[in-house]
Amino acid sequence: QAGFPATPHTVCQNGRIMVADSSTLGPSAVWQYYWTFNAGNPYEYVGGSGTGLPISPVQAVTFYSLGSHLVKLKITDSTGTVSTATMYIFVAANPFITITPNLNMFGGADICQSDSLHVVGNVTNGDYPITWMLVHNGDSTNIDSSFWLSQTGDYQITATNNSGCPSNAYNGNISMQAPVDAHISYMGTTAPNALTICENLLPAYLYCQTSGPSNQFLWSKGDMGYNTEIDSSGTYSVIATSWNNECPNDTDEIEIT
């Protein structure tokens, strides 16, 4: 009687499955094996006899197209008797995931100190439900499709569908952005909140120095560069903004007499 096991009966797209003969024939029979996959691609194996041990050729088959695929084994013994066995293999889709926001664009995402980033995973292809996995600096944990990230480092996000098929691996990075810390300076030195400048030194320039990645400034006079020109006494202030407008602004003020 022809027969063969296949493990598993469901395989992921582009996955390989092993099928092996488990036919039961007489110990002196000469067997001829004829495998057919997807009603095509035949494989033939001719065995010998006399040892009393069943000859069990194994076929490794890779399935590239989705859906159900017929696997058929036909055996012929030394008397010419033909026996067949069939089985259907189901090929499931591998899920494809994308992440919002993109954590690998322009070297990764930035977050501010004491802040976190809301991340949403999206999936196409594959059956449901989906199991999500997050690897952060080598540590793995199960997550939902919507989650928050508050630690810096390298991340890898994957998903597995109900058929056990794995998704593509999404790799990203998060770095910590230093807070914007603005200070007005005069002649290369951080100025106090009140400063006296001799009249003969006017006009003069005030500068904004920041310890964070600021490249946007707005002075009380309306100037938008990192410095502003003053020609009289008064109170002057500046607002420094982070380069991506995500971290809190910082301000500084000085009184010139």
Side-chain angles (χ1 to χ4, degrees), residues 1-227:
Q1 178 66 41
F4 60 92
T7 305
H9 288 202
T10 298
V11 65
C12 302
Q13 189 175 15
N14 303 326
R16 175 167 291 191
I17 193 171
M18 304 294 294
V19 291
D21 168 61
S22 62
S23 304
T24 55
L25 294 176
S28 62
V30 177
W31 303 346
Q32 182 183 59
Y33 302 87
Y34 194 85
W35 296 90
T36 303
F37 304 98
N38 306 327
N41 300 324
Y43 296 85
E44 185 175 359
Y45 180 89
V46 179
S49 64
T51 63
L53 298 175
I55 301 173
S56 301
V58 176
Q59 296 292 341
V61 187
T62 301
F63 291 93
Y64 298 100
S65 56
L66 303 176
S68 295
H69 299 264
L70 176 65
V71 179
K72 181 178 180 180
L73 169 62
K74 181 177 72 173
I75 63 172
T76 305
D77 66 13
S78 58
T79 67
T81 301
V82 177
S83 180
T84 61
T86 59
M87 177 181 291
Y88 280 93
I89 304 297
F90 179 76
V91 181
N94 296 310
F96 182 82
I97 63 172
T98 58
I99 301 298
T100 306
N102 195 336
L103 302 182
N104 59 22
M105 182 177 292
F106 306 121
D110 291 317
I111 60 175
C112 305
Q113 287 185 345
S114 302
D115 203 355
S116 57
L117 181 67
H118 185 215
V119 179
V120 177
N122 308 288
V123 61
T124 58
N125 298 331
D127 53 352
Y128 289 85
I130 296 292
T131 301
W132 293 85
M133 175 69 70
L134 173 71
V135 179
H136 173 238
N137 292 342
D139 296 325
S140 302
T141 182
N142 289 325
I143 57 173
D144 295 325
S145 60
S146 177
F147 52 96
W148 292 85
L149 300 177
S150 59
Q151 295 180 308
T152 61
D154 295 322
Y155 287 88
Q156 183 179 87
I157 303 168
T158 57
T160 304
N161 63 18
N162 195 45
S163 297
C165 298
S167 71
N168 55 304
Y170 183 95
N171 296 289
N173 177 271
I174 290 182
S175 56
M176 187 70 68
Q177 185 178 129
V180 177
D181 190 10
H183 299 281
I184 295 177
S185 66
Y186 172 69
M187 297 184 67
T189 303
T190 300
N193 292 335
L195 179 67
T196 299
I197 301 178
C198 297
E199 186 175 352
N200 64 325
L201 295 179
L202 296 176
Y205 283 93
L206 298 177
Y207 295 84
C208 182
Q209 298 177 334
T210 62
S211 58
S214 173
N215 64 356
Q216 301 180 68
F217 305 93
L218 178 61
W219 292 86
S220 53
K221 288 183 57 181
D223 296 329
M224 301 182 67
Y226 69 97
N227 62 4

